[in-house]
Amino acid sequence: PYVLLSDLTLTELCSYLPLSKDDLRWISGFGEFKVEKYGEDLALLIKDFCREKGLKTRMDEVQAKKFFQ
């Protein structure tokens, strides 16, 4: 997995659960290329996982954290 996404990126994906391509832009390691190439499929996988496990996104936390850095 480190070839495509770093450990930090994977950690942020699991921690914040982005549900859209726009959300992915807030995740470390996701530039426009990766968002366009993988974003839709990845967001769908995360949405399905969240629905199955009853989880909610925490994107408000990452946005606040990065906004104030």
Side-chain angles (χ1 to χ4, degrees), residues 14-19 56-64:
C14 294
S15 297
Y16 300 118
L17 302 169
L19 302 178
K56 294 185 180 189
T57 186
R58 295 174 49 209
M59 286 305 300
D60 56 332
E61 293 176 30
V62 72
Q63 291 167 352

Side-chain angles (χ1 to χ4, degrees), residues 4-25:
L4 182 60
L5 302 170
S6 71
D7 287 346
L8 175 61
T9 302
L10 293 171
T11 299
E12 286 191 10
L13 288 171
C14 294
S15 297
Y16 300 118
L17 302 169
L19 302 178
S20 70
K21 287 170 58 173
D22 287 333
D23 285 350
L24 285 169
R25 289 178 172 87

Side-chain angles (χ1 to χ4, degrees), residues 16 26 44-45 50 69:
Y16 300 118
W26 289 91
L44 183 59
L45 286 171
C50 287
Q69 284 184 341

Side-chain angles (χ1 to χ4, degrees), residues 18-63:
L19 302 178
S20 70
K21 287 170 58 173
D22 287 333
D23 285 350
L24 285 169
R25 289 178 172 87
W26 289 91
I27 301 297
S28 297
F30 267 92
E32 200 57 36
F33 176 80
K34 284 184 183 175
V35 168
E36 289 305 317
K37 185 164 183 167
Y38 307 111
E40 197 167 318
D41 291 333
L42 187 55
L44 183 59
L45 286 171
I46 294 170
K47 279 183 194 177
D48 289 345
F49 179 78
C50 287
R51 192 174 314 121
E52 180 182 313
K53 302 294 182 183
L55 301 172
K56 294 185 180 189
T57 186
R58 295 174 49 209
M59 286 305 300
D60 56 332
E61 293 176 30
V62 72
Q63 291 167 352

